[in-house]
Amino acid sequence: MAKECLYGDGKSPFNIVIPFKIKGEIKEDDLRFALFRIQKKHPWLTAAIRIDEDKRPWFVTNLTEDFKIPVRMVNRVDDNHWAQESISEWKTVFDATNAPLCRMVWIKGKEVSEFLMVYHHCLCDGTAALSILTELLQLLDEPDTDIGREIPIMGVEDVIPEKVLNSYRNRTKNGLIGKIATLALWIIPIKKVAVERKNDFMINWKLGQDFTKQIIQFCKANQFTVNTLLSAAVLTAFKEVRKEKAFNKISLPVDIRNFNPIIKKDHIFAFGLMIVLSLLPEKDFLENAKALQKYVNDKSSKLNPYSLMMMMEACHPALKNFTNFLKYGKSSNDCMFSNLGKIDIPYQYQNFQVETIFSPSVMGPLGNTTTMIASTYRNQMDFTFVASEGYVPFVEAEAIIRKGNRYS
């Protein structure tokens, strides 16, 4: 159901953009060959969407020679050109019935170029996208590199152990919970008027290497993760800037691979596990960070990915209602915050250098678009803040960033 929800009706874009900058000469033929090799490894990169008689979307592979990842080339204007092209790519719908759910934009300059790898979110998550980026860079540098071959995930039977999946107790319990959730989605009244999003925008910034190092050391000394510190900073910044408009809630995506070893980093996969965090008003910043860490640890220890996946499967009849709930329901959180952590991709290759990897951006049609994504590459934390003026005005976003940097 997660993939179907992200795909929606196929008429609205829900795109992830992975930008990176390369210094050095890249040949167009080498890029196209690298993309060809990546498609050979990952069958779902050769897949289009087909709708069955029950109006459910399915991945269907297309192995014809002309079913290639498209490359759009533009002449580089300046250092900010990649951000403009990213926003353009948010709005560009994938022709999912006739083309792959992945495309490439090459912002070509004389000495440096930026590249955007764009995916429909129903295809993969950030972890898979970065894994594919790793393979792309390897192949650009050495076209004969063996990147292996993915055995694709075809259904729940491939990611849930047979013993768990066939357990009568598990099937009954999770099926019942799924049906209750389905019923709730049917009876919850929802207004059919979405919030006017107005202009979508993006702000990207980096922290220096010394500051990044200090943050990591501070977190280790206080026994909480960088992710927890940043979460506390984001919540505090929203509260100080938006005041009574703040919800004191952020959603943290949790990589299901951390709980399900069957799903590998290079598996093309997307499944939404979320933890919601809030500050405790009676505690100061440092105490809140420690309290959030305890909450995350407790919550994570109780997460059961197999049950969640089985419940989602049982909710298929309520897909349309769930999508409407997300799209038209009243917003109840400040933003989604995702920290991809350290990106383990080399800087120096034989034929080029990867100057930077920007944190991804994502924009979709389902409700509040406000998202902050962090990552660390070459010992520098990088942040991308994405929102729509109808949810968070641009001037408030800038103030939130200033406040957040003060706490991080």
Side-chain angles (χ1 to χ4, degrees), residues 232-242 399-401 403-404 407:
V234 171
L235 282 163
T236 303
F238 267 90
K239 179 183 177 182
E240 291 190 2
V241 173
R242 305 214 76 201
I400 289 167
I401 290 168
K403 294 283 187 181
Y407 286 102

Side-chain angles (χ1 to χ4, degrees), residues 342-354:
K342 183 181 178 182
I343 299 176
D344 290 317
I345 288 178
Y347 157 65
Q348 183 69 57
Y349 289 79
Q350 294 181 79
N351 300 306
F352 56 83
Q353 298 169 334
V354 181

Side-chain angles (χ1 to χ4, degrees), residues 58-309:
W58 294 88
F59 288 132
V60 178
T61 54
N62 184 330
L63 300 178
T64 57
E65 289 187 6
D66 60 345
F67 200 81
K68 300 176 181 177
I69 294 173
V71 179
R72 178 170 67 89
M73 299 175 64
V74 296
N75 292 323
R76 190 177 190 270
V77 176
D78 55 33
D79 288 343
N80 296 317
H81 192 173
W82 70 270
Q84 300 168 22
E85 293 294 340
S86 294
I87 293 173
S88 175
E89 287 298 319
W90 295 345
K91 303 172 183 177
T92 305
V93 180
F94 278 94
D95 182 8
T97 59
N98 297 303
L101 294 166
C102 172
R103 57 179 179 254
M104 174 74 75
V105 181
W106 183 355
I107 305 163
K108 191 173 184 180
K110 291 182 179 180
E111 296 182 358
V112 296
S113 291
E114 284 88 6
F115 295 84
L116 310 178
M117 293 195 77
V118 188
Y119 300 89
H120 195 299
H121 203 356
C122 75
L123 182 71
C124 70
D125 58 10
T127 299
L130 288 174
S131 179
I132 295 171
L133 173 56
T134 302
E135 296 163 359
L136 176 70
L137 293 168
Q138 290 171 339
L139 292 167
L140 284 175
D141 199 46
E142 297 185 74
D144 294 330
T145 299
D146 182 5
I147 59 171
R149 187 169 181 83
E150 178 194 0
I151 300 174
I153 295 170
M154 305 290 287
V156 292
E157 64 277 1
D158 292 332
V159 291
I160 300 177
E162 185 178 359
K163 183 178 179 180
V164 176
L165 189 62
N166 293 332
S167 164
Y168 176 78
R169 181 176 181 274
N170 288 333
R171 286 189 286 113
T172 303
K173 173 188 171 184
N174 295 316
L176 179 60
I177 295 173
K179 288 177 181 177
I180 292 172
T182 298
L183 178 61
L185 289 168
W186 274 102
I187 62 178
I188 293 174
I190 300 173
K191 294 181 180 180
K192 293 293 183 178
V193 180
V195 172
E196 185 183 355
R197 276 171 47 171
K198 302 179 183 178
N199 292 329
D200 301 327
F201 63 88
M202 176 176 69
I203 305 172
N204 175 269
W205 73 101
K206 290 183 183 296
L207 303 182
Q209 290 185 353
D210 289 342
F211 192 17
T212 299
K213 184 178 179 180
Q214 290 171 17
I215 290 173
I216 295 170
Q217 291 174 340
F218 178 77
C219 292
K220 287 181 178 178
N222 286 280
Q223 297 184 317
F224 45 65
T225 65
V226 172
N227 191 57
T228 298
L229 176 72
L230 295 177
S231 298
V234 171
L235 282 163
T236 303
F238 267 90
K239 179 183 177 182
E240 291 190 2
V241 173
R242 305 214 76 201
K243 297 181 171 43
E244 69 280 356
K245 293 181 182 178
F247 296 101
N248 190 27
K249 286 183 181 179
I250 59 170
S251 301
L252 269 65
V254 179
D255 191 345
I256 195 172
R257 295 168 182 80
N258 296 331
F259 303 90
N260 186 340
I262 299 173
I263 306 170
K264 308 303 181 185
K265 281 189 175 182
D266 63 349
H267 266 131
I268 291 186
F269 191 75
F271 185 84
L273 281 177
M274 292 283 182
I275 292 178
V276 178
L277 298 184
S278 299
L279 296 174
L280 297 171
E282 69 276 9
K283 295 183 180 293
D284 64 21
F285 181 81
L286 188 58
E287 290 174 333
N288 257 306
K290 292 178 179 179
L292 289 177
Q293 186 63 62
K294 183 179 184 305
Y295 178 81
V296 169
N297 291 345
D298 291 345
K299 200 75 174 177
S300 298
S301 67
K302 296 173 184 175
L303 277 176
N304 187 327
Y306 306 131
S307 290
L308 287 167
M309 297 176 83

Side-chain angles (χ1 to χ4, degrees), residues 12-24:
S12 300
F14 199 158
N15 300 343
I16 302 176
V17 181
I18 316 287
F20 58 99
K21 180 189 286 188
I22 284 181
K23 183 177 181 180

